Amino acid sequence: MTSSIFGEVIRVRKFSNGDIEIDFHHEEQITEYRYSADPGRLGNFPKNLAETLVSTLDTNICIEIFFQDDGIPSHVELEQCEDDEDDEDDEDDEDDEDDEDDEDDEE
């Protein structure tokens, strides 16, 4: 049975030796994933999937990571995140328009 987690990349560290560390925010926690070209180092993420995750940093893209039974990532799915801040901004804009209408009425 495969499992998955849904979240977004919040920090990336790329090293001169080719290693990549990724902080992934999901379910109110942060998990660090790592790719390493050195077989002596523990790398828990395939390079092509790690590079895909890196490309989503500072975007409005959410990721679902799917894992095989042995815990190794098998694939990822990307999708647009719902942006709560945009909804709040829209509400603020409406409030500003109402305030301007009130000022016009006073004149």
Side-chain angles (χ1 to χ4, degrees), residues 90-106:
D90 290 344
E91 290 173 8
D92 289 344
D93 290 345
E94 289 174 10
D95 290 344
D96 291 344
E97 289 174 6
D98 290 343
D99 291 344
E100 289 174 4
D101 289 342
D102 291 344
E103 289 174 5
D104 290 342
D105 292 342
E106 292 175 5

Side-chain angles (χ1 to χ4, degrees), residues 5-12 22-33 52-65 77-85:
I5 59 173
F6 186 83
E8 60 188 321
V9 173
I10 60 169
R11 182 176 298 125
V12 172
I22 301 162
D23 290 345
F24 188 75
H25 182 256
H26 61 98
E27 298 174 4
E28 303 303 318
Q29 63 183 2
I30 298 171
T31 302
E32 181 182 293
Y33 294 108
T52 298
L53 292 183
V54 167
S55 71
T56 67
L57 181 65
D58 198 31
T59 65
N60 196 25
I61 297 174
C62 288
I63 304 120
E64 187 164 8
I65 305 171
E77 291 183 5
L78 309 175
E79 65 181 61
Q80 283 295 131
C81 295
E82 293 180 12
D83 194 357
D84 294 336
E85 290 179 11

